[in-house]
Amino acid sequence: MTAPERREVAAHRWSAGGTRARPVTTAAVGRPALGVDGDGRVLMTVPVELGDLPTGWRHTAVFLRVGLEDNGIRPVDLWCDAGVPVAVSGLGDRTFGWFLGGFTDRPLDLRRFTATAALDVPGGVAALAVQVRLDASVTGRPVPVLPLRKIRHVRVERPWEFTAPLPADRPVPVARPSTAVPADTPTTRLCLAADVENYRRFRNPEAARAQERFRELLTRARELAGVDESAVRVENAGDGQFAVLPAGLDETAVIPGLVAGLRTALRYANADLNDHARLRIRVALHRGTIGAVPSGWVGTAAIAVHRMLDSAPLRQALATAPRADLAVIVPDSLYRDVIAHGYGDLTPESFHPTTVELPDKGFTEPAWIHVP
């Protein structure tokens, strides 16, 4: 058996004032092992081993991502033997992954694990070309004076690349009828709208970097919440984003996960930024029946989520909490269905009621605001 290949894991802005990537630790990935199950699906297992961290630092989360050549190969199931909380993303897409860990800075008791993907591989494909990348979050000693811990996001400087032949005698995959709801079908969906506070302060080069960080943190937040990013429909507009999440989500898990994921993703994004570059964002969630049309989306939820995002109560909530980086608003329906029951780490007492009123738009909506 070939020994796993080790790569340096580096962090950007690892030290105060620094901008270059610096080695932090090593990680090892073994050549993916291929097998076939009874339905003809290819089972790809990737072994991972985490190296030692500097004294005082511990892993808090690990994100393993796999990319496949676009030759029709798609994952239909993902799992992991890590023994820690795991969320997966990218089912049905050629880029997919496993997120290991939670939403807090508690350390992971994790050194080795294997991640497995069940792949539908079309006939005629003879080999699997795989690209593997590993990212992690590490936590260090508490910051002096403040009851906070340093958090850094680290990643391998270049991915591992493998090519493995597929078993020549594998059976023809069993066709399964799709149960997924087509992305454009009008149905009940959870919508998310977000924007950056005081975006006009940025000069053009700064604005470009802020937009990139903003979009990355929203993607990361959804992945942390276990949302399949490949099934999210996104519309970007400078300092804002509107996202329609997949149908059939478990809101009791996804909504608390989104709020926790936003907090975590913002901490990563702002870890080494000064006050001028620091991102503070407003987020609105809403649920309703919407459908896609050539010009965008139709449905009351698509309208209401933007009205709530741009409302005076939400703007004021973030403006009057200078130490906060996030303010979230939800309609009364989501509060009563999810928040009020205490699912996840969200407590009903951390939300306060308000009313969004826009007389010129004929819009009134009872809502609840949360400022972590």
Side-chain angles (χ1 to χ4, degrees):
M1 181 175 177
T2 304
E5 182 182 358
R6 290 198 168 272
R7 290 276 164 84
E8 283 189 338
V9 182
H12 292 282
R13 296 182 296 273
W14 176 248
S15 61
T19 57
R20 298 179 61 187
R22 297 190 177 188
V24 176
T25 182
T26 59
V29 168
R31 178 171 295 277
L34 301 182
V36 180
D37 68 8
D39 293 328
R41 303 180 306 179
V42 173
L43 300 182
M44 180 185 71
T45 301
V46 182
V48 179
E49 181 178 331
L50 304 178
D52 294 326
L53 288 169
T55 302
W57 291 82
R58 295 182 179 180
H59 292 96
T60 59
V62 176
F63 190 20
L64 181 71
R65 288 182 286 184
V66 171
L68 303 173
E69 287 188 351
D70 193 7
N71 53 8
I73 302 174
R74 294 294 182 268
V76 294
D77 198 6
L78 302 170
W79 64 91
C80 186
D81 68 354
V84 299
V86 178
V88 301
S89 62
L91 283 173
D93 192 67
R94 69 187 185 97
T95 301
F96 51 92
W98 300 258
F99 179 83
L100 289 70
F103 304 117
T104 69
D105 60 1
R106 290 191 294 269
L108 286 179
D109 183 15
L110 181 65
R111 291 299 300 270
R112 298 179 182 85
F113 65 93
T114 58
T116 303
L119 307 174
D120 272 342
V121 181
V125 177
L128 198 64
V130 183
Q131 188 177 81
V132 182
R133 181 176 289 279
L134 186 134
D135 297 69
S137 298
V138 295
T139 305
R141 297 189 181 96
V143 177
V145 182
L146 298 176
L148 301 174
R149 299 182 69 86
K150 296 180 181 178
I151 293 181
R152 293 291 184 269
H153 184 63
V154 299
R155 64 185 302 177
V156 293
E157 294 182 319
R158 68 185 192 281
W160 292 271
E161 296 182 350
F162 303 98
T163 301
L166 293 169
D169 57 348
R170 65 187 176 91
V172 177
V174 177
R176 294 179 175 81
S178 173
T179 59
V181 177
D184 297 337
T185 301
T187 188
T188 301
R189 298 180 189 270
L190 188 65
C191 302
L192 181 151
D195 64 6
V196 178
E197 184 194 52
N198 194 23
Y199 178 77
R200 62 182 179 274
R201 72 185 184 275
F202 295 126
R203 295 173 294 180
N204 287 349
E206 296 171 339
R209 291 191 292 271
Q211 285 187 26
E212 182 180 4
R213 295 187 188 106
F214 174 64
R215 294 172 186 175
E216 286 181 351
L217 76 86
L218 292 176
T219 298
R220 177 172 293 277
R222 290 189 290 265
E223 290 174 339
L224 290 171
V227 177
D228 179 3
E229 186 66 14
S230 68
V232 177
R233 300 289 297 274
V234 172
E235 295 178 0
N236 291 304
D239 65 336
Q241 185 184 97
F242 172 60
V244 179
L245 276 58
L249 294 177
D250 179 1
E251 292 180 349
T252 64
V254 169
I255 290 176
L258 281 171
V259 176
L262 287 164
R263 292 179 62 188
T264 301
L266 274 163
R267 290 177 73 178
Y268 296 153
N270 289 332
D272 296 293
L273 301 181
N274 59 26
D275 288 341
H276 176 76
R278 170 188 169 202
L279 294 180
R280 305 178 75 225
I281 69 171
R282 295 178 290 262
V283 175
L285 297 172
H286 211 293
R287 173 221 294 140
T289 300
I290 65 173
V293 295
S295 59
W297 294 86
V298 293
T300 56
I303 297 172
V305 74
H306 286 98
R307 300 279 192 261
M308 291 167 52
L309 178 67
D310 199 39
S311 66
L314 185 62
R315 290 178 177 274
Q316 183 179 12
L318 187 59
T320 55
R323 295 186 61 183
D325 290 334
L326 173 67
V328 180
I329 188 169
V330 300
D332 186 62
S333 58
L334 283 182
Y335 179 85
R336 288 185 285 106
D337 291 350
V338 180
I339 309 300
H341 299 281
Y343 289 109
D345 292 332
L346 290 180
T347 58
E349 296 77 18
S350 65
F351 287 72
H352 68 266
T354 189
T355 300
V356 177
E357 293 183 289
L358 300 170
D360 57 328
K361 303 287 187 181
F363 180 86
T364 302
E365 177 98 45
W368 296 75
I369 292 177
H370 173 64
V371 181

